[in-house]
């Protein structure tokens, strides 16, 4: 069975002008091969031939509605247009839309100490579709039964960091519990600690950055 690719899209006009950056698989340390046809550049593993990503130059010509800087979310029609562009330039139409939210409210169901760390914890966190993720967290204020902000695998943080599956000291971790400063929320405390959300927000609710800013403001006011 063919491995299903993810799709992470971003714009960075200041650094890459009118270029759409597409990532369909995690980067590796393996040698890569770069192939350009027209306005499309494909990046793939040299040994396996597996696609890692594409750069689409002059993207405004193909998708004029795309704006902003940072992660962008492509709908099914836009992905179809990009696949047609890949075919036109001699590549495979391998892009699949990913419409699932990447920042969601999570409910910390269980929390236990990491067996090989004095400050890390292993959290089982319920997110959307009743899914539970195992996430290793080092925040000093994390606790069971909290509502938190989860950056799922495939999320791009405001600083450009992409969340991939990983391990922390040998324990699998599939996501990140986020601090307000990591979410680049206004007036976020510049200290360690995740953002605790109101308890009445259902697990799996897409995170609203505007409402998150209001939560930060309320928490700051309560501490004054």
């Amino acid at each position: 069975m063919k491995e299903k690719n993810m799709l992470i899209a971003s714009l960075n006009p200041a650094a890459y002008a009118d270029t759409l950056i597409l990532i369909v698989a995690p980067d590796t340390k393996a040698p890569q091969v770069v192939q350009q046809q027209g306005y499309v550049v494909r990046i793939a593993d040299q040994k396996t031939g597996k696609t890692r990503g594409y750069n689409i130059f002059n993207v405004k010509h193909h998708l004029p509605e795309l704006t902003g800087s940072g992660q962008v979310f492509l709908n099914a029609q836009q992905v179809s247009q990009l696949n047609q562009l890949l075919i036109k330039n001699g590549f495979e139409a391998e892009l699949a839309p990913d419409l699932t939210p990447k920042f969601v409210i999570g409910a910390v169901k269980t929390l236990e100490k990491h067996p090989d760390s004095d400050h890390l914890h292993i959290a089982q966190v319920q997110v959307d579709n009743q899914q539970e993720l195992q996430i290793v967290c080092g925040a000093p204020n994390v606790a069971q039964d909290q509502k938190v902000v989860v950056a799922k695998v495939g999320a791009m943080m405001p600083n450009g960091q992409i969340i991939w599956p990983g391990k922390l000291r040998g324990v699998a971790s599939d996501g990140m519990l986020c601090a307000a400063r990591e979410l680049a929320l206004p007036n976020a405390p510049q200290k360690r600690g995740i953002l605790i959300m109101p308890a009445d927000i259902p697990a799996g609710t897409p995170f609203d950055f505007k409402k998150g800013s209001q939560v930060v403001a309320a928490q700051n006011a309560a501490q004054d």
Side-chain angles (χ1 to χ4, degrees):
M1 180 180 295
K2 183 178 179 180
E3 180 182 350
K4 181 182 178 181
N5 288 331
M6 54 178 40
L7 180 61
I8 302 169
S10 67
L11 296 169
N12 187 345
Y16 303 113
D18 189 16
T19 301
L20 179 66
I21 301 169
L22 302 173
I23 299 172
V24 299
D27 197 6
T28 69
K29 296 181 180 179
Q32 295 180 336
V33 59
V34 176
Q35 179 185 6
Q36 181 170 356
Q37 297 284 351
Y39 291 117
V40 179
V41 173
R42 175 177 178 261
I43 301 97
D45 280 351
Q46 188 178 72
K47 183 177 180 180
T48 66
K50 178 177 175 58
T51 301
R52 293 292 164 188
Y54 290 95
N55 293 337
I56 310 295
F57 299 139
N58 196 25
V59 69
K60 290 291 186 185
H61 178 72
H62 307 287
L63 298 174
E65 68 276 15
L66 289 186
T67 59
S69 180
Q71 188 170 16
V72 295
F73 297 93
L74 304 172
N75 60 38
Q77 181 178 356
Q78 290 168 328
V79 173
S80 177
Q81 288 176 259
L82 290 172
N83 274 326
Q84 292 302 312
L85 181 63
L86 294 184
I87 293 172
K88 183 178 179 180
N89 286 276
F91 298 110
E92 180 183 354
E94 60 179 320
L95 304 178
D98 183 356
L99 305 179
T100 59
K102 299 304 177 188
F103 293 92
V104 301
I105 302 301
V108 180
K109 293 298 186 180
T110 64
L111 193 71
E112 59 183 78
K113 291 184 177 180
H114 192 293
D116 190 31
S117 172
D118 60 1
H119 71 282
L120 295 176
H121 289 82
I122 305 169
Q124 303 297 329
V125 185
Q126 182 182 328
V127 290
D128 47 320
N129 298 317
Q130 300 299 312
Q131 181 185 17
E132 282 200 9
L133 302 177
Q134 177 171 287
I135 300 176
V136 178
C137 178
N141 63 331
V142 64
Q144 187 171 327
D145 297 327
Q146 287 174 336
K147 293 292 179 62
V148 296
V149 182
V150 179
K152 297 167 58 180
V153 168
M156 178 179 286
M157 304 301 294
N159 67 358
Q161 174 191 3
I162 296 176
I163 305 301
W164 299 116
K167 289 185 178 181
L168 287 175
R169 294 203 178 184
V171 175
S173 184
D174 291 317
M176 185 172 79
L177 306 188
C178 300
R181 58 185 171 83
E182 292 169 327
L183 297 166
L185 298 179
N187 301 311
Q190 298 303 303
K191 61 182 181 180
R192 293 181 63 216
I194 56 174
L195 175 61
I196 309 303
M197 297 296 290
D200 60 349
I201 304 179
T205 302
F207 176 63
D208 185 315
F209 279 75
K210 183 177 181 180
K211 290 183 179 179
S213 299
Q214 295 170 352
V215 171
V216 171
Q219 292 177 354
N220 288 342
Q223 294 175 4
D224 290 343

